[in-house]
Amino acid sequence: MGAVTRFYLQLFLLCSVAVSSSAIAEKDEPLTHVADLRYGVALYHYYQSEYLDGLTELLIAKERGGIQGHGDNPDIMEGGFALAYGLERYAADIFSDVLDGNVPENAQVAAWYYLARMRYMRGDWSGADYSLEQVAKIASRDKKSTRNIESDLSAQKINLLIKQDDFAGAEDELKRDKVDEDWLPYLQFNLASLAARQQNFADAIKYYKKLADKEFPTEEYRALYDKAMTAAGYCFLLTGEHRKAMRQFSKVRLESPLVGRALLGYGWAATEIGLYREALSAWQKLAQADLVDENSQEALMAVPYAYEKMSLDGIALQQYKIAVSGFEAEIARLDDVIANLSGDSLLEALEIESADGIDWLNYQEKNQLSPTSTYLVALYAREEFQMRIQQMRELLTLQKNNREWQSKMAFYSAMLDERAADRDNKSGLLAKDKLAWQISDLEDARKNLSQQIERIGAEKDYFALAQGDEADLIKRTTRSRARVPYLRDEDPFIEDSAEALRRYYGILLWQASEKFSDRLWRAVKTLNSLDSTIVELKKNYHAVEEILQSAPDLAPYRARINGAQVKLEAQSAEVDLAVAAAKADLRTQVVGTLSQQRDRIQSYLAQSRLSVARLYDKSLKHSDVRVLEQKTEAEMERDK
């Protein structure tokens, strides 16, 4: 993602504040809540650092009709996401539609400024120029719109001129504009580097020395200081001021990553003025380091060179042999690395994994991308390569997400099957038990029972509520009393029996009347309970009926899932191809860099072998000369 990513959060916040301020100006009361749930969900993901989910929510909302009630905020938010993901053209289209007079000018300034930064990082100088021109046009109408980023704008202009090799223009801009202390050291270093590239070493040294006169409190600035001192030393070395070069190199901190480069330069500067022992002290320390450092490789060649200069050919020969062994071992190691640099081993070597759970807006700030081998330092220093690594990480994340969604699609399909089966079961329940008819029959029965209870209460029908043995006795007694008239002619004692039946009937009636009120209350209570049962049954019936009638048609959902599965499979295939292509591209770049390093070491090896042969040849010639001289002297003695 590169260094620009730390600005995108500020971009979104600036633009959102500007748009919200405009909305408040148009209304008496500002919004104190989220007007659209989809926007609220996107904001939730945003503040949870779940940026891919937030962007996905915005895109889905746009696909389904857009977000209402929040003006241009969702589009500006989407543009910020697009910028952070490197989709500069897509973001530019969004801002062109949204920011062209639709939002306050300070929001337009922020958008164009960060577009300028993105285009600058991508080497699009004309695009960066155009973006800065848009800022200048807005600032000409409203100077307050650039009040908060004046120093950043100036720094951007100067860096753009430097990238276009306009040293005079960049220098004039630096003198004319006010740049704060945070930017100044970087601008001075960049200006010095441009002068050095143009062979203008006097101006390069002038600006490098500006950094030497300062005390930097942070490690970041101290690293810049070490870089400036090293570069100044080589400028002095190229202009023949070797002692000044040595002084500059000696200012580099021993714990600095640039100490190897400084030690190497110190040795060459000392050698140029015949201080071979000083050169050796620097080179020997450097030559003992790991040969993955190109400075150590050159120092391994420089040590025997210094011994040769001191006429210590025997020691020089031994050192060249050591160099030959070291270079051969390093070439073999590089060949092994290159042969195995493919697939997942490439990702492991570059420390690339999917970006799941990573705050990609600030990832590089917290986890500085660094090479596993110093052979790749120059490659990692390129913004383009850093972006390719980040894009590889994001592709792996998309690949992982696609695979997860493919499993989710299977789950959703199974869920629809369950819903369909559940609906069928409920329909079967209604058809099988004929709940509607049962409820109707139960209501009729309840009506009849209610009428009977009303009659019994009105007529004081005490026997009507009797049950069990009591009801049986009442029935038998009533039946016996009804037969009395038919037995008067046959039974002379029938009157006694009738009187007994009358008395027994009276006892039963009295007992029934005593219990009548309680029995009638219980009957009414039972009727009320039956009413509740009917109400509950009807409620359940209507609830099931409503579920069946109001449940959405599952066919469209099944069609959407099937369509999403087809689309997801196609996208997964595209992402897989993109991952494979990205891996191949990264491998090509890494292998190309390692091959260049191998070629350089191969050149050092050839030089070392040639030097060994040269010293052997020199030694042999000296031996032949001594033999010849001894022979000549013997012949002269004999002639005498």
Side-chain angles (χ1 to χ4, degrees), residues 210-218 221-222 225:
K210 289 181 182 294
L211 276 73
D213 297 335
K214 297 179 181 179
E215 293 185 3
F216 296 112
T218 65
Y221 285 118
R222 284 195 287 268
Y225 168 86

Side-chain angles (χ1 to χ4, degrees), residues 104-237:
E105 291 182 336
N106 59 336
Q108 297 181 46
V109 165
W112 283 117
Y113 167 62
Y114 291 113
L115 280 173
R117 291 196 63 85
M118 172 61 79
R119 289 165 174 169
Y120 170 84
M121 288 297 178
R122 297 184 184 283
D124 181 6
W125 315 134
S126 61
D129 263 333
Y130 175 77
S131 298
L132 291 177
E133 287 174 4
Q134 300 307 307
V135 174
K137 288 180 181 178
I138 298 171
S140 65
R141 299 192 302 266
D142 181 9
K143 292 183 178 181
K144 293 182 179 180
S145 62
T146 59
R147 180 174 51 192
N148 296 327
I149 57 171
E150 286 181 353
S151 181
D152 293 338
L153 282 171
S154 297
Q156 186 70 70
K157 293 175 186 176
I158 294 168
N159 278 327
L160 187 57
L161 290 168
I162 290 172
K163 286 294 185 180
Q164 294 173 312
D165 295 330
D166 187 354
F167 178 83
E171 188 176 41
D172 290 342
E173 191 73 30
L174 181 61
K175 292 176 180 178
R176 181 170 59 253
D177 289 345
K178 294 181 179 180
V179 179
D180 62 33
E181 290 298 322
D182 291 338
W183 277 111
L184 190 58
Y186 291 101
L187 297 175
Q188 290 171 341
F189 180 86
N190 291 343
L191 202 55
S193 299
L194 173 60
R197 291 196 300 271
Q198 294 178 341
Q199 307 294 309
N200 181 7
F201 296 116
D203 283 333
I205 291 170
K206 177 182 69 175
Y207 281 103
Y208 283 135
K209 289 183 71 175
K210 289 181 182 294
L211 276 73
D213 297 335
K214 297 179 181 179
E215 293 185 3
F216 296 112
T218 65
E219 181 61 28
E220 182 180 357
Y221 285 118
R222 284 195 287 268
L224 183 66
Y225 168 86
D226 291 332
K227 195 171 183 179
M229 295 306 98
T230 304
Y234 278 98
C235 286
F236 279 123
L237 189 61

Side-chain angles (χ1 to χ4, degrees), residues 48-66:
Q48 292 294 317
S49 298
E50 299 167 352
Y51 300 109
L52 184 58
D53 292 333
L55 178 58
T56 301
E57 191 67 33
L58 290 176
L59 294 178
I60 291 174
K62 179 186 287 187
E63 185 71 18
R64 296 181 179 177

Side-chain angles (χ1 to χ4, degrees), residues 602-615:
Q602 185 68 50
S603 176
Y604 286 152
L605 176 61
Q607 292 178 45
S608 299
R609 287 173 174 171
L610 183 61
S611 295
V612 169
R614 179 172 51 77
L615 288 177

Side-chain angles (χ1 to χ4, degrees), residues 56-120:
T56 301
E57 191 67 33
L58 290 176
L59 294 178
I60 291 174
K62 179 186 287 187
E63 185 71 18
R64 296 181 179 177
I67 292 175
Q68 307 300 323
H70 291 281
D72 296 319
N73 280 25
D75 291 329
I76 295 175
M77 187 177 182
E78 182 185 349
F81 281 138
L83 277 177
Y85 270 121
L87 304 175
E88 187 270 336
R89 292 181 181 176
Y90 180 71
D93 290 340
I94 292 176
F95 286 120
S96 295
D97 293 339
V98 175
L99 300 182
D100 188 14
N102 295 327
V103 295
E105 291 182 336
N106 59 336
Q108 297 181 46
V109 165
W112 283 117
Y113 167 62
Y114 291 113
L115 280 173
R117 291 196 63 85
M118 172 61 79
R119 289 165 174 169
Y120 170 84

